[in-house]
Structure formats: C-alpha cells, structure tokens
Amino acid sequence: MFAHHNCRLSARQWPRIELERRFDQHVLACVLSRALEEVEAGEATATEATGLSHAELRNVLPRGFPAAAVNAFALKEVSDPEPDMEEELLRGLLLAHARPGDPASTRFAKIIARRAMRDDHLWQDLGLFNRAELSRLLATHFPTLAAGNTQNMKWKRYFYRKLCEAEGFSLCTAPSCRECNDFENCFGPEEGESRLARIKNGIALD
C-alpha cells in the first residue's frame, strides 16, 4: 500500500487531483452560499437557485455546510423545477464539453446554466471571488469549450455565440468582432466586487 501511494506521489497525480477536489469544494461552497442568500431572502428555493435537483442537493450540501446550516435551505419544501428552453440549451452545450464520466462536471453544468440566467457577470452570479476562478472552473470541467475562447470573450457572451454557431447563425452582422458596435459588451473587462467583498465593505445588497 505504501509503495503504491509513493508511486502516485512520484507521478504527481495525487497533488493535482487533491487540488482539483479542493477547488471544486470551494466553488460549490461559493455557489451554495449565494443560493442561501436567495433562499433566505425569499427570492428562490434551493433547487431554483442552484439548478440541482432535490436529491443532488441532499448529496452535496453536507459537504460544504454543517448540519445546522443545511436546514436553512429548507429542502423539505422544494420541488425540482424544469429548466426553461434557454437554460436547457446552455446546459446541453456545457454537458457536450464536460469531462466524460465525471459527476462533478455534470453537476457544474447544471449550476452554471442556472446561474447564467442571472443578471451579473457569471463569476458574480456563482458567488466566486473573481473571473479567474470561473476561467479555472471551466478549463477544468469543460476543457474543450474553454479552450475555444481564444480572444478572452466574456463567458456569457461566448456561450451564446457557441449556441448561435450551432444553430448556423451569428450574433453580429459585422465582418469581424473588432468592427462590431457591440465589441465592449462582448470583450470589455468583467470587473466588480465579489459579493463577499461587498458584504465586508458594508455595502447593502439589494
């Protein structure tokens, strides 16, 4: 057993896997924290906020929250709402590029598709600290999709461009992105404070 463990360490497999696992837990905790805000504000149920089913939430919640906090999600009162067409299309795009056989990738596809329906930058919708964390998440779980964003387009815009391309039409009639009047909306910086920073700075969250 020790020899096998040492071999894995020598091959640098364990540290990479462990780092991925811890980062996934971090992202999940951020998403669940954001979802809990919406639940407590009466804006959404736990399933509506995350895109996960009741069963999936019962599986993942204990990993990121103590038992007392899990009760705040009021899982006994939630149902499994069906995604609308826009969310379903985005979920399908993500699943088509998800790592095969990885339950975490499937779970994040559902979460990202649901949170992308919100109005802020996607990294903020997910409760992450910055855009770099979102880019890391996408590169890890949807590597072929993330690799295609070679011009660093805003992630929501990039997703919808890919959906449009799949349907055979373009989002913009300009001959190139640089000549498009909507360039700043597609490629401008995705800056802003994370929700954690806004809370820390005492800014009211509407």
Side-chain angles (χ1 to χ4, degrees), residues 52 56 59 63 95 99-110 141:
L52 299 178
E56 288 170 322
N59 180 43
R63 305 179 192 179
L95 289 174
R99 294 198 301 193
D102 187 346
S105 296
T106 300
R107 183 165 57 242
F108 282 127
K110 296 178 180 180
H141 289 282

Side-chain angles (χ1 to χ4, degrees), residues 11-42:
R12 299 184 181 275
Q13 294 176 355
W14 184 85
R16 178 183 62 80
I17 293 172
E18 179 65 14
L19 285 174
E20 284 186 6
R21 186 182 68 82
R22 290 187 178 185
F23 181 68
D24 284 355
Q25 289 178 334
H26 161 70
V27 172
L28 194 58
C30 288
V31 170
L32 293 175
S33 294
R34 183 69 190 93
L36 185 56
E37 290 179 7
E38 294 183 1
V39 171
E40 292 181 333

Side-chain angles (χ1 to χ4, degrees), residues 29-204:
C30 288
V31 170
L32 293 175
S33 294
R34 183 69 190 93
L36 185 56
E37 290 179 7
E38 294 183 1
V39 171
E40 292 181 333
E43 299 171 355
T45 65
T47 53
E48 290 169 346
T50 63
L52 299 178
S53 68
H54 182 275
E56 288 170 322
L57 282 169
R58 288 187 64 87
N59 180 43
V60 301
L61 275 172
R63 305 179 192 179
F65 289 85
V70 172
N71 294 332
F73 284 90
L75 293 184
K76 293 181 180 180
E77 304 171 14
V78 305
S79 58
D80 295 341
E82 290 294 325
D84 62 22
M85 182 179 295
E86 183 179 350
E87 182 183 342
E88 189 67 42
L89 287 171
L90 182 51
R91 181 188 291 189
L93 173 67
L94 291 161
L95 289 174
H97 293 272
R99 294 198 301 193
D102 187 346
S105 296
T106 300
R107 183 165 57 242
F108 282 127
K110 296 178 180 180
I111 290 171
I112 292 170
R114 176 58 55 87
R115 300 305 302 174
M117 300 299 104
R118 301 303 196 263
D119 296 328
D120 289 330
H121 296 311
L122 183 53
W123 66 268
Q124 292 173 317
D125 295 328
L126 292 166
L128 300 177
F129 291 172
N130 50 52
R131 185 181 192 269
E133 289 191 333
L134 172 58
S135 297
R136 177 179 173 182
L137 176 69
L138 295 172
T140 299
H141 289 282
F142 313 97
T144 56
L145 181 62
N149 191 6
T150 56
Q151 299 182 56
N152 204 30
M153 179 180 279
K154 292 180 179 180
W155 284 113
K156 282 187 183 180
R157 288 279 180 163
Y158 175 67
F159 292 158
Y160 283 102
R161 165 171 281 195
K162 298 301 290 184
L163 289 174
C164 287
E165 289 175 353
E167 295 297 322
F169 62 91
S170 173
L171 280 173
C172 187
T173 57
S176 71
C177 285
R178 290 287 177 182
E179 299 177 43
C180 179
N181 293 329
D182 209 26
F183 181 84
E184 290 300 322
N185 287 331
C186 290
F187 293 93
E190 294 188 80
E191 299 174 343
E193 285 188 307
S194 68
R195 296 189 66 84
L196 182 63
R198 292 174 65 187
I199 292 171
K200 183 177 179 181
N201 292 333
I203 299 175

